[in-house]
Amino acid sequence: MQSPPAEIFVVTGASSGIGRELAIQLAAPNRVIWLIGRDRERLEEVSAVVRAKGAVPEIARMDLSDLAAADRFLNETFPAGSRADAVYLAAAVTLFGEVQDTLSEDWDQIYRTNLLSPVQWARHFYSNMVEHKRGKIILVSSLAAYAGYPTATAYATMKAGLLGLYRSLWHEGKSHGVSIHIASPGYVDTGIYKSAVFRKTTYEKTMNLIKGLGFRILSAEDSAGRILNAVGRGRSEFAFPAYASSMKWVAPRMPLIIDVVHEKMIKSFRKTP
């Protein structure tokens, strides 16, 4: 009896954070896991774990903000008619600082990485999935897409863009058998904070501000597990943990409640160290 074809999964941002944990938790026999990220050494580490779990890892080191290089990779590796069962778009960068202190190149980098890149990858795989009448695209977004994030305005802006992509493409995809999902976690303990750009603030001050808000900070492992569980249960739009889910609901209905949180953030940010 011929064995079924291997399932193919693609994970961006797979060298660290939620992307890394998604790749590891997806790994199982008869699965190919494509690991996309900037840090080859870390990708090799994830690859070893994926292989140990019985899956076949494939590594592609690239800077996703380089859209031309990504386009070449997509067209050569996943040409028209090729198959991918699920694509998890988890790569992201961030910036902390008030808008008047940010630079145009800051916005350009976040725009390319956090919005243009997911759109590029989603569009490419969506076209092939439509042809096969099956597939899943999972956008890893943020609570900031719903509530905003003063002092991380560029990040919140791009995540809101992903929400628009999801809420439009979901309707197009369902008649083709392609499911679109968006996961919006609250605070997650990942390397995105250490690698962030800081304008008139610091990593230490930013982390103290976040901790001072009193919201639960999840591990990347826990977050990835929640995403996979929700997608497996067919949930298409979800936020977690409980405070993020509540704020997702509250933000468009009772914005004054969100204003209280934002005013606290701004006040804390503007305090001198």
Side-chain angles (χ1 to χ4, degrees):
M1 181 182 296
Q2 189 176 23
S3 60
E7 294 181 284
I8 299 173
F9 296 86
V10 178
V11 184
T12 68
S15 57
S16 64
I18 294 175
R20 176 185 188 276
E21 296 301 328
L22 284 169
I24 289 171
Q25 293 181 38
L26 282 166
N30 205 41
R31 286 184 170 182
V32 176
I33 313 293
W34 275 91
L35 310 172
I36 316 297
R38 289 178 295 178
D39 190 320
R40 177 166 288 280
E41 184 176 346
R42 289 183 179 180
L43 288 173
E44 292 287 0
E45 293 172 0
V46 178
S47 175
V49 178
V50 167
R51 186 178 292 108
K53 295 183 69 175
V56 176
E58 298 283 357
I59 290 177
R61 196 211 73 78
M62 71 179 71
D63 179 351
L64 291 171
S65 69
D66 186 343
L67 302 178
D71 193 56
R72 288 193 296 272
F73 168 80
L74 289 169
N75 288 322
E76 291 170 4
T77 311
F78 296 96
S82 61
R83 178 177 59 85
D85 293 276
V87 177
Y88 289 80
L89 302 175
V93 295
T94 194
L95 158 73
F96 291 99
E98 293 194 56
V99 168
Q100 72 268 21
D101 299 317
T102 61
L103 307 177
S104 59
E105 51 262 39
D106 297 335
W107 283 77
D108 183 67
Q109 179 69 18
I110 292 184
Y111 178 45
R112 287 174 172 274
T113 305
N114 292 15
L115 185 57
L116 286 186
S117 174
V119 169
Q120 178 186 42
W121 286 64
R123 186 190 64 79
H124 183 91
F125 284 103
Y126 177 77
S127 298
N128 287 343
M129 288 176 179
V130 167
E131 182 177 339
H132 290 281
K133 299 294 183 184
R134 61 189 297 271
K136 296 177 182 178
I137 296 173
I138 300 87
L139 306 169
V140 179
S141 183
S142 166
L143 172 61
Y146 299 94
Y149 197 142
T151 74
T153 302
Y155 179 83
T157 300
M158 306 314 159
K159 292 301 186 180
L162 288 185
L163 182 60
L165 172 64
Y166 158 75
R167 288 188 168 172
S168 303
L169 192 56
W170 184 89
H171 292 280
E172 293 186 25
K174 64 179 181 178
S175 62
H176 294 297
V178 181
S179 60
I180 312 297
H181 308 257
I182 189 165
S184 299
Y187 288 109
V188 182
D189 183 12
T190 72
I192 195 172
Y193 301 106
K194 285 188 176 179
S195 63
V197 172
F198 298 95
R199 300 299 182 197
K200 294 193 177 180
T201 187
T202 64
Y203 167 76
E204 291 75 17
K205 184 177 178 180
T206 298
M207 296 312 296
N208 287 335
L209 187 157
I210 290 171
K211 291 172 183 176
L213 293 172
F215 293 124
R216 180 183 176 189
I217 301 176
L218 296 179
S219 69
E221 181 180 8
D222 185 2
S223 299
R226 289 170 184 254
I227 292 170
L228 293 175
N229 180 268
V231 171
R233 290 189 288 116
R235 296 186 64 190
S236 58
E237 182 179 356
F238 52 93
F240 60 88
Y243 75 82
S245 181
S246 297
M247 291 178 73
K248 168 181 173 292
W249 187 90
V250 166
R253 296 171 175 85
M254 292 175 265
L256 290 178
I257 294 177
I258 303 300
D259 288 349
V260 172
V261 177
H262 286 174
E263 286 172 9
K264 181 179 180 180
M265 293 172 71
I266 290 289
K267 185 177 180 181
S268 296
F269 183 88
R270 289 176 177 169
K271 281 183 179 178
T272 55

